[in-house]
Amino acid sequence: MDGNNKIYNIICSLANFFRISLNSGKSTISVNEEIEHVKNFVSIETARFPDKFTVTYDIAPDISEVQIIKIILQPLVENSIKHGFDNMKNGGKIHISGQRTGIDTIEFVVSDNGCGFDGDFLNIPAENQKHKSGYGLKNINDRLILAYGTDCGLKIDSTPDRGTS
């Protein structure tokens, strides 16, 4: 409020982040709101890590008002920043796309150029995972299956030193 726009913008992003997270107790939000949630998170992380990464978005307009379970993209972006770009000082790139793939189906892809990893992360027992603090991917996958059935969920494609989608 004393002319420090950076702090003001971070506080606004944080307030919006929490507003969308809480969403009046509702478990679904529009794709537009989910993307806004990601953008608020990215704004906060960019303030913490200037020049470390960039994010691009390619969301098909026809899915913007589709209702989806909330907080499915932000943890994926968080994983890219926290784990994929862990040893990078700059040059990290995240691309988020979303499109309709069927009458009742949409697909999101979150890709990064981070360090990548070997193996099937979703099927590695928690005690054997390198990043024991994170349960975000499994949580998202379980919530997608619970909400939309066993035909839905995460598919992870990762190559060491090349990135993850």
Side-chain angles (χ1 to χ4, degrees), residues 1-163:
M1 292 172 52
D2 289 330
N4 193 330
N5 289 334
K6 185 176 179 180
I7 292 173
Y8 173 79
N9 290 334
I10 292 169
I11 291 170
C12 287
S13 293
L14 187 60
N16 287 330
F17 179 84
F18 286 129
R19 178 184 55 79
I20 292 170
S21 294
L22 296 173
N23 193 32
S24 301
K26 296 180 209 160
S27 61
T28 63
I29 59 177
S30 72
V31 169
N32 273 349
E33 290 171 307
E34 181 74 7
I35 296 301
E36 180 185 345
H37 186 69
V38 171
K39 288 180 177 180
N40 286 312
F41 176 77
V42 166
S43 176
I44 295 163
E45 292 299 294
T46 300
R48 292 181 63 211
F49 307 110
D51 304 319
K52 186 171 187 170
F53 65 93
T54 59
V55 181
T56 56
Y57 303 86
D58 182 18
I59 307 299
D62 68 322
I63 67 169
S64 64
E65 294 306 317
V66 172
Q67 293 290 304
I68 60 173
I69 58 173
K70 66 182 179 180
I71 312 176
I72 57 173
L73 298 176
Q74 177 271 323
L76 300 174
V77 172
E78 184 175 353
N79 272 6
S80 291
I81 296 166
K82 184 175 180 182
H83 304 300
F85 304 151
D86 188 34
N87 296 321
M88 296 172 70
K89 292 193 186 297
N90 57 36
K93 295 178 183 172
I94 301 170
H95 181 75
I96 303 169
S97 64
Q99 64 184 359
R100 192 175 295 277
T101 57
I103 294 171
D104 294 329
T105 309
I106 58 176
E107 176 182 80
F108 293 101
V109 178
V110 177
S111 300
D112 69 51
N113 67 336
C115 64
F117 57 87
D118 267 329
D120 182 359
F121 193 85
L122 291 174
N123 292 314
I124 298 172
E127 61 272 7
N128 295 336
Q129 290 179 12
K130 178 180 174 186
H131 302 290
K132 293 186 189 308
S133 64
Y135 57 90
L137 295 179
K138 182 157 178 24
N139 180 301
I140 295 167
N141 193 56
D142 291 348
R143 290 187 314 119
L144 287 168
I145 291 169
L146 186 63
Y148 303 113
T150 56
D151 290 343
C152 296
L154 291 181
K155 177 184 177 213
I156 300 173
D157 181 23
S158 189
T159 305
D161 301 321
R162 302 215 48 205

